[in-house]
Amino acid sequence: MPTAGFIYPDHAAEDDYPFAERLFGDGVALPVRHIYGTDLHAVPELLDLGSERRLAEGAALLAEHEPDSVVWACTSGSFVYEWDGAHEQVEKLAAAAGKPASSTSFAFVRAAEALSLRRVAVAASYPADVARYFVDFLAVGGIEIVSMSSEGIDTAAEVGRLSPEAVVRLAVRHDHPAADAVLIPDTAMRTLGVIPAIEEKLGKPVLTANQVTIWEGLRLAGDIPQTDRLGALFRAARPPDEDRKA
């Protein structure tokens, strides 16, 4: 049974992980452990949240589950380190956990590769200055951003209170006709239950933060189960042909 462990900041939409675990059934375990800091979407606070010390604490909390992989389940707390810094972040996490490790930011890049997505629209909940870091991160990863929108929401707690209907509207409102997919980059947003509805309205894939994070953890753990209920990524995607590290 593959076990992918997740380090999740504070509390917002972590119930997406047991939701996915129930969909996959008895063959998959997705334990989540929390680290704590401010939930403000601001660069200094995000750099602290994703620090080596905090992630080592999360890895220690996950150790009892003996995970096959560990993922830092935070997009903004990884992309604010920029490409090279985010690589160093997950390398240090892997060393602390003694397991293959990654982060949500790298999960977005690898999921886009797996679906052969080249041009995307970004529907961000963050303030614009923070969202720009994500756009720049994707660009270094070889992804063209045809549009970027920002909802300007300051805290993860506020994002976690968005209704399912609001999440669907956000995704549809910020699509772009030239985009191969819409990317929604906040693990504080509860999205797994509405991915099929979004994809039906858009007629194209949607990648959401908790969705790609779970996919990345299972990729590193060595087994990605297929399901019709978590969008195109879990229906047909094959992991990119690369060694299993961030």
Side-chain angles (χ1 to χ4, degrees), residues 16 19-20 190-196 208 210-211 214 229-230:
D16 267 357
F19 176 86
R190 196 172 284 104
T191 60
L192 295 197
V194 296
I195 289 172
T208 77
N210 289 325
Q211 174 209 36
I214 292 166
R229 296 181 60 185
L230 293 178

Side-chain angles (χ1 to χ4, degrees), residues 14 17 51 56 63 70 101 106 123 147 152 176 184:
E14 65 268 30
Y17 295 80
S51 67
V70 174
F106 287 115
S147 68
H176 188 283
I184 306 176

Side-chain angles (χ1 to χ4, degrees), residues 40-43 46-47 49-50 55 72-87 89-90 102-109 122-140 148-149 183-187 209:
L40 188 64
H41 288 147
V43 173
L46 292 167
L47 289 169
L49 188 62
L55 295 190
W72 170 218
C74 184
T75 328
S76 55
S78 48
F79 65 62
V80 291
Y81 282 81
E82 302 181 78
W83 188 267
D84 291 341
H87 268 287
Q89 181 187 56
V90 296
S102 190
S103 68
T104 304
S105 293
F106 287 115
F108 269 108
V109 173
V122 171
S125 55
Y126 319 117
D129 62 327
V130 174
R132 176 55 56 184
Y133 277 86
F134 182 57
V135 168
D136 292 345
F137 191 94
L138 294 175
V140 176
M148 187 277 280
S149 60
L183 275 54
I184 306 176
D186 196 341
T187 59

Side-chain angles (χ1 to χ4, degrees), residues 125-196:
S125 55
Y126 319 117
D129 62 327
V130 174
R132 176 55 56 184
Y133 277 86
F134 182 57
V135 168
D136 292 345
F137 191 94
L138 294 175
V140 176
I143 299 169
E144 180 183 351
I145 295 81
V146 297
S147 68
M148 187 277 280
S149 60
S150 167
E151 292 293 298
I153 301 176
D154 288 326
T155 68
E158 293 173 85
V159 175
R161 290 194 290 269
L162 292 174
S163 69
E165 295 78 15
V167 172
V168 173
R169 288 195 298 270
L170 180 149
V172 173
R173 185 168 68 250
H174 297 306
D175 184 23
H176 188 283
D180 300 326
V182 173
L183 275 54
I184 306 176
D186 196 341
T187 59
M189 192 182 300
R190 196 172 284 104
T191 60
L192 295 197
V194 296
I195 289 172

